[in-house]
C-alpha cells in the first residue's frame, strides 16, 4: 500500500469517528477537518439516511422541485454558507450551462454536466429532522443543496415532506 492510500484511509477513519461522535453535525465541517471529500462523509451516514441518484437525474429532480413552492437553496464553501429562500423556476440548457431565470431570487447558471450524483438526505441536524437534495460533482463536493422548508414553529412543511419522499422513492 502506498503512503497516499494509507493517508486517505486514515483520514476517512478519523472522519467516520468524528461523525460517530457527533452524528448530527455539519457534513462539510467533518470533511474539511479530515481532508476528505464531502461525498465520502455523506456515504458514512447510517443506511437509509442518504439515497443516491445518478447525475443524469439533475434536470428531472430540478423540474420536480419547481412545483414545491418556496425552498431553501444553500451553497456551502470554505468561505461562505449562502442561503436563499424562494421557489425554483424552470431552467433550460444552453451554451454548456443549465440557465435559471425567472421570478425568484434563485437564479444563475449551473454546470449541470458536472453533476455526477444527486443525493436525497434525511437525517438529524442539530437534533431536528432535516430533508435535503444535494447535488455532487466528480470531486465529491456539493455543488448546492435544496432543503425542505420549515414553518413558523420550525417544523418541516408536510406537503414538501411528501414531495421529497415521493421523489426519493423513484431512486431508492
Amino acid at each position: 500500500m502506498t503512503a497516499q492510500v494509507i493517508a486517505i484511509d486514515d483520514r476517512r477513519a478519523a472522519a467516520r469517528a468524528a461523525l460517530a461522535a457527533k452524528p448530527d453535525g455539519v457534513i462539510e465541517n467533518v470533511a474539511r477537518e479530515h481532508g476528505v471529500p464531502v461525498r465520502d462523509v455523506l456515504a458514512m451516514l447510517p443506511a437509509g439516511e442518504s439515497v443516491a441518484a445518478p447525475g443524469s437525474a439533475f434536470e428531472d429532480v430540478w423540474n420536480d422541485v419547481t412545483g414545491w413552492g418556496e425552498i431553501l437553496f444553500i451553497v456551502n464553501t470554505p468561505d461562505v454558507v449562502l442561503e436563499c429562500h424562494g421557489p425554483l423556476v424552470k431552467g433550460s440548457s444552453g451554451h454548456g450551462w443549465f440557465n435559471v431565470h425567472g421570478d425568484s431570487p434563485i437564479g444563475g447558471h449551473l454546470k449541470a454536466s458536472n453533476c455526477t450524483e444527486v443525493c436525497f438526505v434525511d437525517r438529524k441536524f442539530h437534533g431536528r429532522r432535516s430533508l435535503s437534495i444535494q447535488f455532487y460533482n466528480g470531486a465529491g463536493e456539493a455543488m448546492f443543496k435544496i432543503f425542505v422548508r420549515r414553518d413558523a414553529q420550525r417544523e418541516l412543511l408536510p406537503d414538501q415532506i411528501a414531495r421529497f419522499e415521493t421523489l426519493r422513492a423513484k431512486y431508492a
Side-chain angles (χ1 to χ4, degrees):
M1 237 187 236
T2 67
Q4 188 177 15
V5 171
I6 293 169
I8 190 67
D9 288 345
D10 289 346
R11 291 193 310 267
R12 285 184 180 129
R16 189 173 285 106
L19 190 60
K22 187 166 175 43
D24 67 345
V26 178
I27 299 277
E28 283 81 3
N29 291 351
V30 173
R32 288 182 193 122
E33 288 169 13
H34 300 286
V36 298
V38 176
R39 183 62 186 94
D40 285 6
V41 177
L42 196 64
M44 296 172 189
L45 294 176
E49 287 191 11
S50 179
V51 172
S56 60
F58 180 99
E59 211 164 327
D60 289 336
V61 171
W62 183 279
N63 287 335
D64 189 283
V65 179
T66 63
W68 291 20
E70 188 171 299
I71 52 87
L72 174 60
F73 189 92
I74 293 181
V75 177
N76 186 331
T77 74
D79 301 311
V80 66
V81 177
L82 178 65
E83 299 181 4
C84 187
H85 301 266
L88 286 189
V89 296
K90 296 275 185 189
S92 61
S93 295
H95 305 288
W97 295 90
F98 185 73
N99 304 291
V100 181
H101 302 291
D103 192 21
S104 174
I106 302 169
H109 312 279
L110 308 169
K111 198 68 165 173
S113 60
N114 285 356
C115 183
T116 59
E117 196 169 39
V118 179
C119 295
F120 296 84
V121 181
D122 181 347
R123 66 184 289 257
K124 296 279 187 189
F125 181 66
H126 296 303
R128 300 185 72 109
R129 184 181 187 198
S130 176
L131 301 175
S132 62
I133 305 170
Q134 304 183 12
F135 296 76
Y136 284 87
N137 63 26
E141 298 301 323
M143 297 169 67
F144 61 90
K145 302 175 182 184
I146 297 170
F147 282 81
V148 167
R149 287 292 310 264
R150 295 184 182 278
D151 63 18
Q153 291 74 43
R154 304 212 13 89
E155 297 299 324
L156 295 172
L157 299 177
D159 60 319
Q160 287 189 6
I161 292 171
R163 300 286 301 259
F164 173 91
E165 290 175 345
T166 298
L167 186 56
R168 177 184 58 190
K170 288 174 60 174
Y171 302 101

